[in-house]
Amino acid sequence: MPQLSSSPDLSAAAAARAPQMSNDENRSGGPSAPNTSVITKVKPKTKRPNLYRVLILNDDYTPMEFVVHVLEKFFQKDAEAATKIMLHVHHHGIGECGVFTYEIAETKVTQVMDFARKHQHPLQCVMEKK
């Protein structure tokens, strides 16, 4: 009976006849392994919205009482805070009414300007990025 030797020629021949796995099969654990995937939760990074300062500008014609009324009506300031802001506007030419997101600041500026025009005052209200 002939003896089988383990020669390099036989091992190479056996390897050549063995079924070859594709790269996809190697990664997934073989042809019978189920396809699996890993699901990772990604926490969304929310960015804070830009803030805008709403400012009232001084003029020589708008009455101080009207400015106080505007601050109370549109910026929910009490009489003392509204008077303090009005005096700051009177002495420094400009005063901050509040800090808001873009849409709210834009709305407040429009409301103040429309209200001032309706009452025939040249009061100016602007917004600037903080």
Side-chain angles (χ1 to χ4, degrees):
M1 187 170 202
Q3 285 190 339
L4 293 175
S5 66
S6 127
S7 68
D9 294 334
L10 287 177
S11 326
R17 285 185 303 225
Q20 296 293 317
M21 288 192 275
S22 69
N23 284 339
D24 291 337
E25 291 174 334
N26 285 336
R27 285 189 203 112
S28 66
S32 63
N35 288 338
T36 58
S37 60
V38 177
I39 298 174
T40 57
K41 278 190 175 181
V42 178
K43 289 185 178 178
K45 294 187 178 185
T46 55
K47 182 182 168 192
R48 292 195 174 267
N50 293 325
L51 295 178
Y52 293 81
R53 298 170 63 205
V54 176
L55 307 167
I56 287 185
L57 307 178
N58 190 35
D59 64 72
D60 294 335
Y61 303 101
T62 304
M64 293 178 176
E65 296 79 21
F66 184 79
V67 175
V68 169
H69 180 68
V70 165
L71 291 165
E72 291 172 340
K73 180 178 178 76
F74 297 107
F75 298 98
Q76 289 71 46
K77 303 293 183 187
D78 58 39
E80 184 180 338
T83 303
K84 186 176 178 182
I85 293 169
M86 178 274 300
L87 288 173
H88 188 273
V89 171
H90 181 69
H91 293 295
H92 297 94
I94 193 167
E96 182 179 290
C97 304
V99 178
F100 308 96
T101 60
Y102 180 82
E103 292 81 10
I104 294 172
E106 185 179 45
T107 301
K108 295 223 181 251
V109 167
T110 302
Q111 288 174 333
V112 169
M113 296 291 286
D114 290 347
F115 189 71
R117 297 301 160 262
K118 181 180 173 185
H119 291 86
Q120 300 176 350
H121 294 296
L123 182 66
Q124 293 292 306
C125 186
V126 296
M127 59 188 257
E128 72 174 23
K129 194 171 184 179
K130 186 166 183 180

